[in-house]
Amino acid sequence: MFIDNWLIITLIVLLPFLSFGIIPLLKKMGDKSIAWITVLLSGLVALFVFLLIPDIYATGADPITAQYNWVPTIGLTFDIHIDALAIFMAAIASGIGFLVVLYSTKYMEGEKGLPRYYALIMLFIGAMICLVITDNLLIVYFFWEIVGLCSYALISFNVQDPSAAKAGIKAFVTTRIGDIGLIIGIFILYLGFQTFSIQDIITTLTNADTVAFNDLMVYVAPAGFFFILGAMGKSAQIPLHAWLPDAMEAPTTVSALIHAATMVNAGIYILARMAPVFVYVNGWPTTLLYLGGITALVAAIMAVVEPDLKRLLAYSTISQLGYMVFAIGLVLNLGNGAVDLQGVFISQYHLLNHSVFKALLFLCAGAIIHSVGTRNMYEMRGLKKEMPKTRWLMLIGVLALAGVPIFSGFWSKDMIFAGALEHELWIPLALVVITGVLTFAYSLRMYFLVFEGEGNRKHAVHETPNVMLIVLAILAVGALASWILIQTFSMGFEVFGLGTHTHYLGDFVSETFTSAAFGLTVLALGLGFVLYWFRNSLKNNMISQWIIKWGRTGFGFDRLYNNIAVGVKEVALKLRRFQTGDANLNFIGIVLLLIIVLIMLAYQGVF
Amino acid sequence: MAIEIVQTNLLFGFILLGMGLYCVLSKKNLIKMVIGLEIMSKGAILAFVGFGGLSVQAYVVVAIAIEAIVAAVALSIIVNVWKHTKSLDITDMSRLRG
């Protein structure tokens, strides 16, 4: 390598945060210059991340490590530990991030507050990269919070729209529940291991003898479930999923970033990262299986009945995230310290494919909404004449989402079915296969509603501008071909012991098409098509009407959260009486506290 | 002799602190509260002098200068409050929103 790795890592860490500071200062230069400067900066970040990939994915590579002292007196360091999983997530965040910024140059043209928008996007990308490359759980938590903060600020980007502001607050509060779970989990792990380093925790646990191991499990077991809570908030698993559909108030570029590159991947990442530790916990994988399976199914049902294009995509994201959580649940404790971590690889493989096609779908949806001016699919109709290029690109994304053979979504979804089949997990398998049926049905419904049929529009609709089309085309190629990376990808994961054997491309293709899981995929697609075909005759009975009515109101989750919020507000208004605002009373409080502290110190024998 | 001076200084420091505290806790007038704050801090400085003797003079001078700054800032806030509400009563300021 012609540049020192340490230098590259330092640049990767510093550049996004420097840009976050600098971009708002350039306000005088005009929105256009700022947009292109951000394209340049995010391109540089992506370039540096991609420069590290050959080092990691070459056979027999070592992890790239670096260390920055942060608070040396108490031994707090910003450790960097880049392995196959970390560099992969960083590449997704920076690569998709770069494409989104490039797309924004045209899409966000003429909006107010663009310096804030671009600065926050750089911070978002930077925080996500730092989250995945650090080895220190405490630092993971800091960047975890920054990611949450950025998503809040970007969801409410349109500050004058009250519904956007509310959606931002909802996202922030809902993910906060998960964040608290995560920090509790981290502290419990610290109690057991006396370290925040993930690698140290894994080595300690795998090298422990039986007695020490049993002692450690007392801490690991509860921590595992608190980590699941953290991932539930960030990765929008039921019941903490309600913020993601509302987050659609954000500009579509932000939605694409949240869904494909940054925010929701963080939860999947932390589960995958900690899976080698928590796999020993009884019931941890099973919990993930059911959590992921039920989330995937319920979200798919809501997607089937959703009339809003962006919300439909949001539900499909929740459903696909359910698949990923499910895949992590496929890890297995074989006993005697041996573990099968195949599930970690499957989930990351699905994450790779999902990121690409979901970014494609969102950016296509953005282009459509940009030119049609509505998000309701029933008001779109018949766009294939007016936007022929967008139509073909979106079709690729839709087929990849549905898991139609040879498109990227198919390969990873097939692996998930195969994994569940191999472990003979019948009920979870049924959950994901039914989800597969529904996925194909709602994908078809979305495509046909938007592009087929007859639209009646008063104003003319224009084709997507060229800059945006280039980005869409790049992503479409990815959605067609990202699965081909499996050989390199699985080799990297094998080298770092993240639970897989190398899948050689030829073998992988022939194995996929001859496995029993392929039959399940075909079955799911067939049933999905039947479901779509007979949609009108299926719609009129009681059960369907009930599902439509409840699915469109989010199965009551929103109402539940609303009631909780109202209740908390009432309690807060009652508690408010204690805060009189009288300066004399406040002073008395301060003095009383001082006296109490003095008395406590006297008891301790300080004087 | 020396011990007596320390004790006297401490005693007067404590009295000043108590007076200032009483003033801050009970008075409703903003100006009076600032005066109380100043008296309190003078008591603390006196105790400091009592313990430290000659060696703390520099610190005490700095502390007095800071006191003056605090008083100036507080008074400027009070002037603005007066302009805003035409009142110097602390109970009229129980809400942050003006």
Side-chain angles (χ1 to χ4, degrees):
Chain A
M1 187 52 62
F2 57 94
I3 322 176
D4 186 21
N5 273 340
W6 191 84
L7 186 65
I8 297 181
I9 295 170
T10 312
L11 280 171
I12 291 173
V13 172
L14 281 184
L15 207 53
F17 296 100
L18 284 180
S19 343
F20 173 63
I22 290 169
I23 289 168
L25 300 179
L26 305 177
K27 202 176 174 191
K28 283 271 154 64
M29 289 174 69
D31 288 345
K32 204 156 189 125
S33 330
I34 288 183
W36 286 102
I37 287 171
T38 318
V39 169
L40 181 74
L41 288 168
S42 62
L44 273 178
V45 175
L47 175 73
F48 288 136
V49 172
F50 280 83
L51 275 180
L52 291 178
I53 292 180
D55 282 13
I56 297 287
Y57 278 96
T59 325
D62 296 318
I64 301 174
T65 52
Q67 198 179 51
Y68 309 102
N69 282 333
W70 188 16
V71 191
T73 42
I74 56 167
L76 196 55
T77 51
F78 185 2
D79 287 315
I80 299 216
H81 179 97
I82 304 181
D83 60 3
L85 177 59
I87 195 72
F88 152 68
M89 294 292 271
I92 292 275
S94 59
I96 305 268
F98 166 67
L99 291 176
V100 166
V101 172
L102 185 60
Y103 183 93
S104 303
T105 54
K106 188 74 194 167
Y107 184 81
M108 295 300 286
E109 218 172 29
E111 298 272 340
K112 273 183 196 152
L114 280 182
R116 175 165 54 97
Y117 171 80
Y118 284 112
L120 280 170
I121 282 200
M122 284 310 285
L123 183 65
F124 208 173
I125 297 171
M128 187 66 192
I129 294 174
C130 289
L131 191 159
V132 297
I133 63 175
T134 178
D135 185 40
N136 188 326
L137 276 173
L138 208 54
I139 309 249
V140 167
Y141 184 74
F142 288 146
F143 287 110
W144 180 277
E145 291 289 11
I146 295 179
V147 169
L149 172 74
C150 290
S151 76
Y152 156 73
L154 283 169
I155 289 168
S156 338
F157 169 69
N158 193 358
V159 282
Q160 273 151 10
D161 179 2
S163 65
K166 275 183 190 157
I169 292 170
K170 188 171 181 181
F172 196 65
V173 173
T174 316
T175 51
R176 176 46 42 106
I177 297 170
D179 296 348
I180 291 168
L182 181 71
I183 192 78
I184 294 173
I186 290 174
F187 286 147
I188 293 176
L189 275 187
Y190 185 79
L191 276 181
F193 292 87
Q194 307 298 323
T195 174
F196 285 120
S197 162
I198 300 169
Q199 299 305 320
D200 287 355
I201 289 175
I202 295 174
T203 6
T204 314
L205 195 67
T206 43
N207 294 336
D209 56 32
T210 321
V211 181
F213 182 83
N214 288 335
D215 286 349
L216 286 174
M217 283 317 278
V218 176
Y219 299 101
V220 172
F225 292 97
F226 278 114
F227 270 72
I228 292 183
L229 186 62
M232 267 162 73
K234 254 322 180 245
S235 291
Q237 299 297 297
I238 281 177
L240 296 182
H241 67 288
W243 64 273
L244 200 56
D246 282 22
M248 292 300 112
E249 297 298 333
T252 312
T253 44
V254 174
S255 305
L257 201 61
I258 289 178
H259 287 245
T262 50
M263 180 83 172
V264 297
N265 292 351
I268 304 295
Y269 165 78
I270 200 76
L271 288 180
R273 173 60 83 200
M274 299 310 287
V277 177
F278 296 138
V279 63
Y280 299 106
V281 180
N282 285 331
W284 192 78
T286 320
T287 312
L288 287 184
L289 282 177
Y290 283 95
L291 177 69
I294 292 171
T295 303
L297 184 60
V298 175
I301 295 174
M302 292 195 262
V304 168
V305 298
E306 181 60 55
D308 181 317
L309 176 58
K310 276 183 81 182
R311 284 178 75 93
L312 188 151
L313 287 173
Y315 282 127
S316 87
T317 303
I318 299 174
S319 177
Q320 300 297 314
L321 288 168
Y323 270 130
M324 291 172 215
V325 170
F326 181 89
I328 296 175
L330 293 173
V331 295
L332 209 59
N333 182 8
L334 302 172
N336 299 327
V339 287
D340 174 8
L341 292 177
Q342 179 80 5
V344 173
F345 171 74
I346 299 176
S347 75
Q348 298 309 306
Y349 186 45
H350 193 55
L351 195 149
L352 165 72
N353 294 332
H354 173 259
S355 289
V356 177
F357 69 66
K358 191 47 65 71
L360 171 64
L361 283 172
F362 261 113
L363 295 181
C364 281
I368 293 165
I369 293 164
H370 197 244
S371 67
V372 180
T374 172
R375 280 162 46 181
N376 191 330
M377 290 190 291
Y378 291 98
E379 291 167 18
M380 292 175 182
R381 307 307 315 263
L383 281 174
K384 70 174 174 185
K385 286 177 221 119
E386 286 136 309
M387 306 177 79
K389 290 176 193 156
T390 318
R391 171 217 183 182
W392 287 113
L393 295 168
M394 183 125 177
L395 183 61
I396 294 174
V398 167
L399 293 176
L401 167 68
V404 173
I406 83 148
F407 292 93
S408 65
F410 157 71
W411 304 94
S412 44
K413 220 173 272 186
D414 195 79
M415 274 179 105
I416 294 173
F417 291 173
L421 209 68
E422 190 188 320
H423 299 327
E424 302 182 336
L425 303 157
W426 304 119
I427 300 172
L429 180 66
L431 285 175
V432 285
V433 172
I434 297 171
T435 309
V437 174
L438 294 173
T439 308
F440 193 47
Y442 72 68
S443 305
L444 286 175
R445 172 172 172 265
M446 172 171 73
Y447 174 75
F448 281 103
L449 271 182
V450 174
F451 290 106
E452 301 290 329
E454 283 301 319
N456 72 53
R457 264 177 295 279
K458 304 212 166 54
H459 60 95
V461 172
H462 59 85
E463 175 63 285
T464 315
N466 278 333
V467 181
M468 284 152 73
L469 266 183
I470 292 170
V471 173
L472 294 181
I474 296 171
L475 286 168
V477 172
L480 267 174
S482 64
W483 60 275
I484 293 176
L485 297 172
I486 183 147
Q487 190 169 326
T488 344
F489 194 49
S490 56
M491 207 182 272
F493 272 64
E494 188 191 15
V495 169
F496 286 96
L498 290 160
T500 184
H501 58 92
T502 308
H503 295 268
Y504 291 100
L505 193 57
D507 296 349
F508 175 65
V509 172
S510 57
E511 267 168 31
T512 306
F513 279 113
T514 51
S515 69
F518 181 61
L520 282 177
T521 308
V522 173
L523 179 74
L525 291 178
L527 284 175
F529 186 74
V530 169
L531 189 64
Y532 179 73
W533 196 251
F534 293 105
R535 64 192 182 281
N536 287 327
S537 41
L538 282 171
K539 210 153 56 181
N540 289 323
N541 60 56
M542 285 282 287
I543 302 169
S544 312
Q545 288 300 326
W546 185 82
I547 290 177
I548 290 172
K549 184 168 160 273
W550 274 90
R552 286 195 175 168
T553 49
F555 283 114
F557 282 111
D558 286 327
R559 192 194 282 177
L560 174 72
Y561 290 130
N562 201 34
N563 290 343
I564 292 176
V566 169
V568 169
K569 200 172 173 185
E570 271 172 17
V571 172
L573 280 175
K574 292 220 165 72
L575 282 176
R576 203 176 151 193
R577 290 189 193 158
F578 288 103
Q579 180 58 38
T580 54
D582 189 323
N584 298 127
L585 282 179
N586 289 351
F587 266 116
I588 289 174
I590 294 172
V591 172
L592 277 179
L593 184 75
L594 269 176
I595 292 171
I596 290 170
V597 169
L598 281 176
I599 291 172
M600 278 170 67
L601 285 177
Y603 254 114
Q604 301 280 322
V606 175
F607 301 121
Chain B
M1 181 64 190
I3 291 173
E4 247 173 50
I5 290 176
V6 170
Q7 279 182 344
T8 338
N9 275 341
L10 277 183
L11 180 66
F12 279 102
F14 192 75
I15 290 172
L16 280 176
L17 192 79
M19 280 165 64
L21 197 61
Y22 173 74
C23 184
V24 168
L25 292 184
S26 61
K27 296 298 167 202
K28 297 285 182 197
N29 188 307
L30 278 171
I31 307 260
K32 285 179 184 169
M33 286 185 75
V34 173
I35 293 173
L37 267 179
E38 290 297 309
I39 295 175
M40 259 170 89
S41 55
K42 292 304 176 294
I45 289 172
L46 192 56
F48 198 46
V49 173
F51 271 121
L54 288 175
S55 58
V56 296
Q57 277 179 345
Y59 299 106
V60 168
V61 171
V62 172
I64 290 173
I66 291 173
E67 280 311 313
I69 295 165
V70 169
V73 172
L75 285 172
S76 73
I77 293 173
I78 290 173
V79 169
N80 277 311
V81 170
W82 169 255
K83 277 183 187 160
H84 201 74
T85 62
K86 297 289 171 203
S87 147
L88 283 181
D89 194 337
I90 189 84
T91 43
D92 291 347
M93 291 177 62
S94 59
R95 281 166 186 275
L96 281 177
R97 195 166 39 174

